[in-house]
Amino acid sequence: MVYITNKQVKRQYEILKTYRAGLSLLGTETKSIRTGKGSLVGATVLVRGGEAFLVNATIPAHQEKNAPSGYDPDRTRKLLLTKPEVRELHTALEKKGLTLVPMEIYNSRRKLKLGFAIARKKNPRDKREDLKRRDADRDRRRSLQDDRYD
């Protein structure tokens, strides 16, 4: 079940390869995500010192009054990845124009996972081509449906 999605990712980026990672969260954050609170807009994944981190993701506490003192909803969260995966991500980030973008937070069995991707930012021209392709597909589907009813 997907709890939080970043809907802007597929519009603004060309997805090259997807990954999934566990999240190191507090209990109040886990409850908050399971109720659908939080945002991945503007968030990124960074690789520093052989570890990966989720930065700028907003996850509020489940109950504000019961939150730990000094709780920061935009804090940096550690991602749980294997060493070969972290090395692969690090080498991908060394290439010019590539970035790591979080796409969704979902559960796999009882664990919360972050789906993220290596992506390249789209040009405005590429965005227009995507719109044209989507419109053409929609028109083709409509014409096929109209033909069935004739």
Side-chain angles (χ1 to χ4, degrees), residues 47-53 78 81-83 86-87 90:
V47 178
R48 296 282 185 263
E51 295 179 333
F53 299 96
K78 186 176 177 182
L81 292 165
T82 62
K83 287 183 182 181
V86 173
R87 269 185 260 137
H90 183 69

Side-chain angles (χ1 to χ4, degrees), residues 30 32 40 57 66:
T30 303
S32 180
L40 292 175
N66 293 338

Side-chain angles (χ1 to χ4, degrees), residues 104-122:
E104 61 189 6
I105 294 179
Y106 61 95
N107 74 335
S108 175
R109 299 185 183 156
R110 296 211 13 100
K111 308 281 190 232
L112 289 177
K113 303 285 182 179
L114 173 73
F116 63 99
I118 297 175
R120 179 179 294 123
K121 194 139 178 101
K122 284 185 182 178

Side-chain angles (χ1 to χ4, degrees), residues 12-148:
Q12 295 178 350
Y13 295 94
E14 175 188 353
I15 306 298
L16 302 177
K17 187 173 180 182
T18 59
Y19 292 89
R20 61 188 266 182
L23 283 164
S24 179
L25 299 170
L26 299 175
T28 60
E29 293 173 334
T30 303
K31 286 182 180 181
S32 180
I33 289 172
R34 289 187 193 274
T35 58
K37 296 178 187 173
S39 174
L40 292 175
V41 176
T44 58
V45 175
L46 297 178
V47 178
R48 296 282 185 263
E51 295 179 333
F53 299 96
L54 177 64
V55 182
N56 293 335
T58 303
I59 302 173
H62 178 61
Q63 295 175 338
E64 295 296 326
K65 294 181 180 178
N66 293 338
S69 60
Y71 175 73
D72 181 21
D74 296 325
R75 73 182 181 88
T76 301
R77 293 160 180 93
K78 186 176 177 182
L79 298 181
L80 307 173
L81 292 165
T82 62
K83 287 183 182 181
E85 287 175 328
V86 173
R87 269 185 260 137
E88 185 178 340
L89 294 174
H90 183 69
T91 56
L93 286 179
E94 290 175 348
K95 296 179 184 173
K96 188 169 180 153
L98 296 183
T99 185
L100 297 174
V101 196
M103 297 171 51
E104 61 189 6
I105 294 179
Y106 61 95
N107 74 335
S108 175
R109 299 185 183 156
R110 296 211 13 100
K111 308 281 190 232
L112 289 177
K113 303 285 182 179
L114 173 73
F116 63 99
I118 297 175
R120 179 179 294 123
K121 194 139 178 101
K122 284 185 182 178
N123 294 337
R125 179 181 55 232
D126 295 337
K127 292 178 186 179
R128 285 194 301 268
E129 289 173 5
D130 286 346
L131 288 172
K132 287 178 187 176
R133 189 178 316 116
R134 194 169 58 219
D135 290 342
D137 288 343
R138 186 183 324 118
D139 292 340
R140 189 173 346 131
R141 281 194 308 263
R142 284 181 182 165
S143 66
L144 289 174
Q145 285 180 346
D146 292 341
D147 291 342
R148 275 192 298 167

